[in-house]
Amino acid sequence: MADADRSSIEIKVLLKNLDPTKPSIKHKDRLRRLNKFRNYVTAKPPPEIYDDDYSLLLLGSESPTAMEDEDLSHMTLFGLLRAAGCPSTDHKDSLKRSARPT
């Protein structure tokens, strides 16, 4: 598998696991996935990533890449920008713990 193809898969798996509306995805699952992705992109040498995947990573379902892809157009993917602004369900006026700076 090409390095850029693996990057596409890693991005899609990450975005599927950032969805706060799915009750089956808990805080620890989001953090685990974020850490795994961070470790993947900070490896030496850094992985190759397709240009289209950058917008997908940041915008999720709202990116042109997702809108033009038949498989992705039917999914709800939370991009990093959207996931970083998810409000907490337990604490008023706070972000989800996985969206807070570490």
Side-chain angles (χ1 to χ4, degrees):
M1 177 186 305
D3 197 34
D5 291 334
R6 177 167 178 225
S7 295
S8 292
I9 292 169
E10 291 286 339
I11 289 170
K12 290 171 189 170
V13 171
L14 170 69
L15 298 183
K16 287 179 192 174
N17 284 286
L18 289 180
D19 189 347
T21 61
K22 292 183 180 175
S24 61
I25 301 174
K26 303 292 182 204
H27 168 71
K28 67 178 180 177
D29 300 324
R30 282 190 295 278
L31 276 184
R32 188 177 297 130
R33 197 69 205 146
L34 283 165
N35 286 331
K36 184 174 182 181
F37 186 76
R38 183 185 62 211
N39 292 340
Y40 173 71
V41 296
T42 57
K44 301 288 184 202
E48 192 174 316
I49 298 177
Y50 291 123
D51 291 342
D52 292 345
D53 286 338
Y54 287 109
S55 66
L56 180 63
L57 177 63
L58 293 174
L59 301 173
S61 295
E62 298 170 12
S63 73
T65 304
M67 292 178 189
E68 295 167 2
D69 187 312
E70 279 188 37
D71 295 333
L72 296 176
S73 64
H74 301 294
M75 293 182 188
T76 301
L77 299 172
F78 275 67
L80 289 179
L81 293 175
R82 188 171 171 196
C86 288
S88 173
T89 54
D90 299 332
H91 302 93
K92 186 180 177 199
D93 299 328
S94 294
L95 296 174
K96 287 200 165 289
R97 288 181 292 172
S98 56
R100 293 182 202 153
T102 56

